[in-house]
Amino acid sequence: LALAGARPQHGSRTEVVSRRGIDVVVCLDVSKSMLARDVQPSRIERAKAELVRLLEEEPGDRVGVVLFAGETMEYPLTTDHEAALRFFRDAHPWDFPVQGTSIGRALVAARDLLRRDPLAARRSKVILLITDGEDLEGDPVAAAREAAGDGIAVYIDAIGSAAPEPIPAFTNDGRMVGYERDSHGDVKHTQFTPAMEQQLRQVAQEGNGAYFRPRTGEVGIDAVRRRLAQLRRAEIAETQKTLYEELVLPVLIPAFILLVVASVLVPERVRRKP
C-alpha cells in the first residue's frame, strides 16, 4: 500500500487533451475594381474559387464572412462551411448599391463578429482580408491595431497588377456592357500602386499578422493556407499533455489479496490463543 501511494509510473505518451480550432473571418472585397480581369476569370471570381478550396481543407475551423464595398454584409461564425460558402459565392459588386472600398469598416465588422461570439475567447482568431487595395475611406491601420489588442491576427492577401487594368461594367442582372467610365467618358482603370502596398503592409504589421502579395495573375491563397496550418500546429502543441502509464493497479492487486487473507487468518489466531 505504501508503494502504491508513491504512484509508480512507467513510460510516457503525448496526447491532445483539447482541440480549440481556429476562428477565421474572411473579409472579401466586392467593389467594382474586383471585376478587373488581370486575374482570370476576374479578381473576385478567382478569389471566391480559392476561398472555396481553403475552407474545404479544414472542416474543424469556424468561419465567418464579411463582404464589403462602401458598406458591409456579415455572416456569423459557423462550422457549417457550406452555408458560409453560399453566402459569398453568389455575391457580386452590382448587388451593393453603395460602392467604394472601406477596408477599415470591413476590419471593424470582422472584429465585432469575433467579439460578440462567446466561444471565440478560447480560440485562435484570424481576420483574412482579400482586397485589391483601393481603400477610399476609413482608417484601416487603426482598425487593425484595435483587432490586435483583442488577440486577433490580421492577414492580408493583396491581389491585382501594378499595370492599369480597365474595370468592366455590368448590369444588375450580371450582363457585361462594356467598361466603367468617369464623368468625362473615359474608361476607368484600377491599379495596385506602391502607396496601396505600403498601407496594406502597415495594416498587417499593426494587426500582428502577415502580408501576402502573390505573383501577377494569382491570388495567393496557398501562402495563406501554409500560415494557417502553422497556426493550427501551434494551437495543437499548446493543448498537448504528457501522460505516464500508471503502475498503481498492479501493486494494489497483491495488497488487496493480502488484506483479504489477513482478515480471514487473524481472527482465527485470536480464537486459538486462550
Side-chain angles (χ1 to χ4, degrees):
L1 288 174
L3 184 60
R7 289 191 61 191
Q9 297 173 331
H10 173 73
S12 65
R13 70 180 189 278
T14 301
E15 184 176 285
V16 178
V17 295
S18 68
R19 177 69 185 273
R20 296 190 300 264
I22 302 175
D23 285 345
V24 180
V25 177
V26 177
C27 294
L28 177 61
D29 188 345
V30 290
S31 60
K32 287 184 178 180
S33 60
M34 289 289 286
L35 294 170
R37 297 182 173 181
D38 49 351
V39 178
Q40 293 296 320
S42 68
R43 295 176 182 177
I44 189 169
E45 293 304 323
R46 181 67 177 277
K48 289 178 183 178
E50 294 293 333
L51 278 175
V52 170
R53 193 159 59 96
L54 175 68
L55 298 183
E56 288 178 345
E57 183 177 83
E58 185 56 48
D61 294 341
R62 295 197 306 167
V63 62
V65 181
V66 174
L67 304 176
F68 70 98
E71 298 290 341
T72 63
M73 292 177 58
E74 299 91 28
Y75 193 90
L77 289 160
T78 179
T79 55
D80 187 353
H81 289 192
E82 185 57 38
L85 292 174
R86 286 196 300 269
F87 179 73
F88 71 74
R89 187 180 283 152
D90 297 328
H92 303 283
W94 53 84
D95 297 327
F96 288 73
V98 181
Q99 276 297 311
T101 307
S102 180
I103 294 175
R105 187 171 294 161
L107 293 177
V108 170
R111 176 185 174 224
D112 288 344
L113 280 181
L114 292 164
R115 292 184 67 181
R116 290 196 302 263
D117 193 297
L119 295 179
R122 303 192 302 270
R123 300 163 67 94
S124 299
K125 298 177 284 293
V126 171
I127 295 175
L128 172 58
L129 177 72
I130 302 177
T131 181
D132 57 12
E134 292 196 357
D135 184 43
L136 303 178
E137 56 182 286
D139 189 349
V141 175
R145 190 181 301 119
E146 292 175 357
D150 290 341
I152 304 169
V154 179
Y155 292 175
I156 296 179
D157 184 12
I159 61 178
S161 65
E165 185 72 19
I167 303 175
F170 287 82
T171 62
N172 291 335
D173 58 359
R175 291 184 298 107
M176 183 176 173
V177 289
Y179 293 94
E180 294 284 337
R181 295 182 179 273
D182 59 23
S183 58
H184 301 289
D186 297 327
V187 174
K188 291 182 179 180
H189 291 79
T190 177
Q191 181 180 7
F192 192 82
T193 65
M196 293 177 184
E197 181 164 28
Q198 181 180 359
Q199 183 186 50
L200 291 179
R201 286 185 179 277
Q202 188 177 2
V203 170
Q205 180 179 355
E206 293 293 332
N208 287 337
Y211 173 81
F212 304 98
R213 179 77 173 116
R215 293 177 296 181
T216 301
E218 297 183 357
V219 175
I221 291 295
D222 287 336
V224 175
R225 177 183 293 104
R226 290 191 292 270
R227 183 58 64 91
L228 291 178
Q230 292 175 2
L231 188 59
R232 291 188 194 100
R233 287 195 294 270
E235 186 273 335
I236 292 175
E238 291 177 358
T239 59
Q240 287 182 342
K241 183 178 180 180
T242 300
L243 302 178
Y244 298 93
E245 299 294 337
E246 298 283 351
L247 297 179
V248 174
L249 188 60
V251 176
L252 284 179
I253 290 176
F256 175 75
I257 295 173
L258 291 173
L259 287 173
V260 171
V261 172
S263 65
V264 173
L265 297 181
V266 170
E268 185 72 20
R269 293 175 181 172
V270 172
R271 287 196 294 271
R272 291 179 179 178
K273 190 174 182 180

